[in-house]
Amino acid sequence: MTNLLPAPTLAPAPAPDSRWHAAPARTRITYQPRADHVSTSRPDGPTCDVVHDMARDAARDALPRALTLLTADERARFDLAVRGVCAPTHLDSPAALGAALGARPADGVVVSAAVLAAGGGRALPAIAALGRTFAATPLVVLVTGEVAPAVLVGLGRSGARAVVDVRSATGWGALQGLWPSVGVRTLAHRAADVLAEPLADTSPTMRRFVLGLFEAPAHVRTVQRYAARFGVLPTTLTSRFFRAGLPAPRQYLALARLARAAQLLESPRWTVGAVAAELEHSSAQAFSRHLVLQLGVRPREFRRRYDTAGMLERFAAELLAPYAAVLRTFEPF
């Protein structure tokens, strides 16, 4: 069958960036994702299962998000093909797909031609409408069997970016080229670069405390949850910062989460409401009040003034640079 839409052009996989590998002779702060070591012998610490869940959530959150409308057989094969490349969420209908896109932007949508063909005359117009409404989200058609040309033509008119024919092994491999490489710069990677100099003279555990703020999943929104990742009581952690004359841990966490908000808002697909939901604020209004309290700006001004690098620089200027002498020997854990 001849594709009516251009197949994706796959670029060679980028060479591993050696900057993320520790070199004993260098003092540069590097980011290396790993599961936090937590002692499970203490009754107040999290169990091994909780620690593993946290590590799994952090790894999944770093991957591009894909929404799919596939058959049961296609789902299993799709999961295997994109493991470690994107985090798929499988949905059962165009309506569910639209609701998911409205609640939170995605990095791509994959729709099966077989599902659309089986859906009769309703499925294709519904997907075409979604393609027009969420035009910034790449729409990809997956072909696993014979499909009527009219289906592909209709999807092409709806804005589908590519057709991937997976009736051969090479087709499944081509799916990996539709999303950024797993080496894409996550918030934690960017924080390691921007904060390298301010953290260079701090204690190793303080570096781990700071970089862990940007590695933590979005649902880690309280000091209690963050302290649990290290097996430390939140009251103990807060007391150590207070005795050292440092800002409270919740302030470090708050600015780190605003750096995450700035990173999301760099994409035009993310609305203020979607970012508020992602960071688990009760509403867009609650997120707006939080911005006013922390930075003295409203969401529109925040989006205009701060990108990720800008928020990371503010984090360093407010929470690291003024306390450099203390942080050389401070041990938060």
Side-chain angles (χ1 to χ4, degrees):
M1 181 183 70
T2 301
N3 292 339
L4 300 183
L5 296 173
T9 301
L10 302 180
D17 192 340
S18 60
R19 291 179 300 171
W20 305 128
H21 298 278
R26 300 171 65 188
T27 58
R28 181 186 180 94
I29 305 301
T30 61
Y31 169 68
Q32 296 175 312
R34 62 180 177 83
D36 299 320
H37 172 72
V38 180
S39 171
T40 58
S41 60
R42 295 177 49 177
D44 56 329
T47 65
C48 289
D49 288 342
V50 171
V51 173
H52 293 160
D53 288 345
M54 289 176 175
R56 182 195 62 216
D57 290 344
R60 183 178 176 86
D61 287 351
L63 295 175
R65 178 171 176 258
L67 302 180
T68 78
L69 186 61
L70 307 174
T71 66
D73 179 62
E74 289 169 342
R75 290 181 182 184
R77 299 171 70 188
F78 183 85
D79 288 345
L80 184 62
V82 301
R83 181 177 299 172
V85 176
C86 71
T89 299
H90 301 299
L91 301 166
D92 297 320
S93 67
L97 190 59
L101 282 170
R104 179 187 174 194
D107 296 285
V109 173
V110 181
V111 177
S112 166
V115 170
L116 296 180
R122 295 183 178 181
L124 184 56
I127 294 298
L130 288 178
R132 292 188 293 269
T133 303
F134 301 96
T137 303
L139 173 62
V140 177
V141 184
L142 193 71
V143 177
T144 57
E146 293 301 323
V147 59
V151 173
L152 297 180
V153 171
L155 285 168
R157 291 173 178 169
S158 72
R161 304 285 180 87
V163 172
V164 181
D165 191 335
V166 295
R167 285 175 287 183
S168 66
T170 56
W172 287 107
L175 282 171
Q176 297 189 1
L178 298 177
W179 285 274
S181 163
V182 291
V184 69
R185 302 290 296 279
T186 64
L187 177 61
H189 290 132
R190 298 174 74 175
D193 255 5
V194 176
L195 303 180
E197 185 175 347
L199 289 175
D201 293 329
T202 63
S203 68
T205 53
M206 186 60 191
R207 294 173 202 166
R208 183 64 189 137
F209 170 83
V210 170
L211 294 180
L213 293 167
F214 304 99
E215 180 184 342
H219 66 258
V220 178
R221 58 188 301 267
T222 65
V223 174
Q224 182 177 7
R225 286 187 177 182
Y226 189 62
R229 295 170 66 83
F230 300 94
V232 180
L233 287 172
T235 51
T236 300
L237 186 64
T238 301
S239 177
R240 287 174 181 169
F241 277 76
F242 176 78
R243 291 198 305 269
L246 295 169
R250 61 181 173 81
Q251 186 62 16
Y252 286 85
L253 181 59
L255 285 191
R257 285 169 56 78
L258 287 181
R260 184 184 296 274
Q263 183 189 42
L264 295 175
L265 289 172
E266 286 179 359
S267 169
R269 296 201 305 269
W270 283 87
T271 64
V272 172
V275 171
E278 174 71 6
L279 297 182
E280 297 192 355
H281 289 277
S282 59
S283 64
Q285 291 74 22
F287 176 58
S288 178
R289 290 193 295 270
H290 180 68
L291 285 174
V292 172
L293 178 65
Q294 291 292 330
L295 305 177
V297 298
R298 295 288 181 181
R300 181 175 296 181
E301 179 70 5
F302 175 73
R303 190 169 207 162
R304 186 183 68 82
R305 289 178 54 183
Y306 292 101
D307 58 6
T308 309
M311 273 307 307
L312 291 171
E313 289 167 0
R314 178 157 184 161
F315 181 98
E318 290 190 8
L319 302 178
L320 298 179
Y323 309 98
V326 177
L327 295 178
R328 288 191 185 98
T329 57
F330 177 65
E331 301 288 344
F333 307 125

